[in-house]
Amino acid sequence: MATGDLVTQPGHVQFGELLLGPGTAYGWQSLTGWEDSPALDSGTVSRADAHGAYPGRLLAQPRTITLDGIVIRTEPGQAGTAVRALSAATALRDDELPLVIQLDRSPPLAAWARCIRRAVPVGTGGYAVGVVHGAALQFEASDPRRYGLIEQQTSLTAAAPSAAVRNTGDAVSHPVITFRGPVERPSLTNAASGDVLEYDIALADGERLHVDTREGSVTLNGQNVISSATNRSTPEQAFTLAPGTTPLTFGMAPGFGDPAATATVRYRAAYW
């Protein structure tokens, strides 16, 4: 199932395969934490000898999203079935699922989250007539950014080693980069920031080196090869695409400009 493929109109909320909102058994009235800025950890330190402080780095905490005023409407006597379906779809889990929300005619956005709280009032009268008022769901997204549904992709080659990618959001986005051989010492340079990812490794024809800058991982054939990063290589998690246009350049060791070699960059527009 593609991310957000059930979301087709304003008011739709999709979590995994569960859809809430217009045309479903689950209506809702309010949403908090979605358009709010996430809580912050501040590195600001008070000045010891003057007024004020030394401004430090601001790091966003996980985003908490709460869907309140959920009304479950079914045929008389079927509310319990709808509640059980809701419970199954929001059960405790270790991994995160896409949470996709469309508020108006603007494109929907997605966060990857887990349901950390579910509240469903129980009253025999409501269950009998098929109406349950006042349910609520709370989600936590470890990555507080929200993303566009469409994953962008740009490929650079030895013949065309430079390209510009555009992050249309307002937050930095962590790309996933795949180097495909044959190539020796593949690299990708962010010409705007000067950051470089470079690996002292030789890839045979068709071999792929996978770099996930969000996770900070570098793998070849499923094996961790992060130790192949050269001394001039930027820490993977520091290699980001700022809002706006970023010029990128694919590099390799001199004399290894095989036309089949590529660097593919995949990313999503990111929003606070």
Side-chain angles (χ1 to χ4, degrees):
M1 176 176 289
T3 301
D5 62 346
L6 300 179
V7 174
T8 59
Q9 60 179 296
H12 272 174
V13 175
Q14 183 179 350
F15 178 64
E17 299 183 6
L18 172 70
L19 183 66
L20 303 94
T24 75
Y26 313 101
W28 60 273
Q29 296 178 346
S30 67
L31 176 69
T32 57
W34 186 250
E35 290 294 348
D36 305 335
S37 58
L40 298 174
D41 288 324
S42 174
T44 298
V45 178
S46 297
R47 292 176 181 265
D49 56 355
H51 299 295
Y54 297 101
R57 192 178 183 190
L58 297 176
L59 296 175
Q61 297 177 7
R63 182 182 293 273
T64 300
I65 305 124
T66 304
L67 204 60
D68 271 320
I70 296 175
V71 180
I72 303 171
R73 297 183 184 276
T74 68
E75 293 296 323
Q78 296 300 310
T81 299
V83 169
R84 285 191 291 274
L86 181 69
S87 299
T90 57
L92 298 180
R93 56 189 306 131
D94 292 330
D95 59 330
E96 294 179 316
L97 296 176
L99 174 65
V100 181
I101 299 177
Q102 182 172 354
L103 298 178
D104 56 18
R105 294 182 180 178
S106 302
L109 296 177
W112 273 257
R114 295 182 294 181
C115 184
I116 59 173
R117 179 176 175 269
R118 179 183 63 250
V120 180
V122 176
T124 56
Y127 275 61
V129 300
V131 181
V132 177
H133 291 275
L137 296 173
Q138 189 169 76
F139 304 90
E140 182 180 73
S142 61
D143 180 351
R145 291 166 292 185
R146 301 170 297 161
Y147 294 92
L149 299 194
I150 299 174
E151 185 177 64
Q152 309 291 330
Q153 179 171 302
T154 298
S155 290
L156 299 85
T157 66
S162 298
V165 298
R166 182 166 178 78
N167 172 9
T168 57
D170 55 26
V172 298
S173 182
H174 279 88
V176 173
I177 299 118
T178 302
F179 296 105
R180 182 182 183 276
V183 65
E184 186 170 315
R185 204 194 308 148
S187 67
L188 187 71
T189 300
N190 180 333
S193 66
D195 291 334
V196 180
L197 294 174
E198 183 180 66
Y199 302 94
D200 190 10
I201 199 167
L203 301 178
D205 187 11
E207 279 194 315
R208 290 173 171 81
L209 182 70
H210 186 76
V211 182
D212 188 328
T213 63
R214 162 70 178 164
E215 299 299 326
S217 63
V218 183
T219 55
L220 173 63
N221 299 325
Q223 300 298 312
N224 179 5
V225 292
I226 197 168
S227 61
S228 66
T230 68
N231 289 336
R232 76 186 192 103
S233 192
T234 302
E236 282 73 19
Q237 290 175 318
F239 193 94
T240 60
L241 304 178
T245 300
T246 300
L248 299 174
T249 302
F250 175 34
M252 59 198 72
F256 285 86
D258 193 296
T262 61
T264 300
V265 182
R266 294 185 289 114
Y267 66 98
R268 296 177 189 266
Y271 301 82
W272 288 121

